[in-house]
Amino acid sequence: MSMFTKNEQGTDRSRNVPEGQPAPPSSAQQPAPAPSGGSQIVSVISKGLTVTGNLESEGAIQVDGQIEGDVRGQTVTIGEGAVIKGAVYGDNVKVAGSVEGKVEAQTVSVTRAGHLEGDIIHERLEIESGAHIDGHCQPTYNKTSSKVTPIKAAATETAKASSAPASKAATAET
Amino acid sequence: MRLGRVRHNPASAAGDMGPDGDISVLGPDLMIDGQLESTGEVRVFGCLAGDIHAPKVTVCPGGKIEGNLVAREASIGGRLNGRIIAPVVVVEETGAVVGRIFHNEVTVAKGAFVDGRMPWRPINHFDKSATLVEELTSEHVHKK
């Protein structure tokens, strides 16, 4: 299960949760993987959700809401009605909503409801008739450049910074 | 059509219509660095570094929030470092809260980890946005 094998998750639980804490309750309470066979749950930013900041996932992201910031994922689907003011990075990006910013992915697909104002850096590109594109389409997608994950580093550092002093205190007490 | 399907999996409810709007799911490998504001329910399996304002927030086991949570209903089954401001708060057995819990009704399950004050507030207190801003920023004890 990805949620229990993450390094930061392991460190945090050992710090905050007292010794002898029973393992999290029965697996029935944990979400089962999606029936499609994927081992990850699709993250969904629904219509009513507005995010002011950056998102990053190693899995699939479905955006139907509003994002002011960058989106980075493996498979990013921007639904109709979604509004993104920022860049979108991924392996596979499908744009059916509005993006004000560049899209950088291996496979980019813009549907006829898509509205894209920004460059499209791709390896494979598909644009349906009726899509609104205003930007430079460049087939210069380089896979290695998308592996840089500054957002994850920032979030992990926040976690580590807050856990480091506390873990010292915990070991001093015990 | 998803609405008619029987759901055993809370995560698969994403996108369905709850009473306040669509349900959002932040998957286990999702990391967000920023503020969230929703008109619908939010289920957090991943990491959020920032505040969240939504009618109902569930931090699921494995989920983590480093920031404040403002909601009508909060259910914490994961980690939260920050303030919770909600009339109804439930801290599950797997939950770990470090920070104040401003509540009208609170439930802390046996085995949960809570480190912080739990100031009670009357129910109408949560309706005024001005008082919420004060709670998020105040450091002193609220005098009665």
Side-chain angles (χ1 to χ4, degrees), chain B:
Chain B
M1 180 82 163
R2 269 188 162 182
L3 287 172
R5 204 175 79 192
V6 175
R7 291 194 303 271
H8 300 289
N9 171 1
S12 74
D16 288 350
M17 282 291 282
D20 296 303
D22 298 334
I23 300 175
S24 296
V25 173
L26 310 185
D29 41 15
L30 183 67
M31 291 194 190
I32 301 187
D33 189 1
Q35 318 285 82
L36 261 71
E37 269 192 50
S38 178
T39 55
E41 184 184 340
V42 182
R43 294 186 188 156
V44 184
F45 293 90
C47 291
L48 166 64
D51 295 347
I52 176 167
H53 292 231
K56 180 172 173 180
V57 179
T58 308
V59 183
C60 304
K64 180 176 163 165
I65 298 184
E66 288 267 351
N68 303 314
L69 193 163
V70 180
R72 309 288 323 161
E73 224 181 294
S75 172
I76 317 291
R79 298 237 6 252
L80 189 142
N81 283 8
R83 293 183 175 180
I84 301 175
I85 301 171
V88 176
V89 178
V90 174
V91 186
E92 311 275 5
E93 183 191 357
T94 50
V97 178
V98 177
R100 296 185 191 174
I101 305 180
F102 294 86
H103 66 281
N104 186 260
E105 262 181 49
V106 68
T107 306
V108 179
K110 181 172 174 177
F113 181 89
V114 177
D115 184 0
R117 294 196 191 122
M118 306 200 348
W120 179 87
R121 292 283 178 267
I123 196 81
N124 59 5
H125 177 91
F126 296 94
D127 295 332
K128 303 176 211 163
S129 53
T131 51
L132 293 182
V133 170
E134 187 201 312
E135 301 286 38
L136 285 171
T137 54
S138 72
E139 286 301 321
H140 62 273
V141 176
H142 188 96
K143 60 181 197 289
K144 292 212 162 175

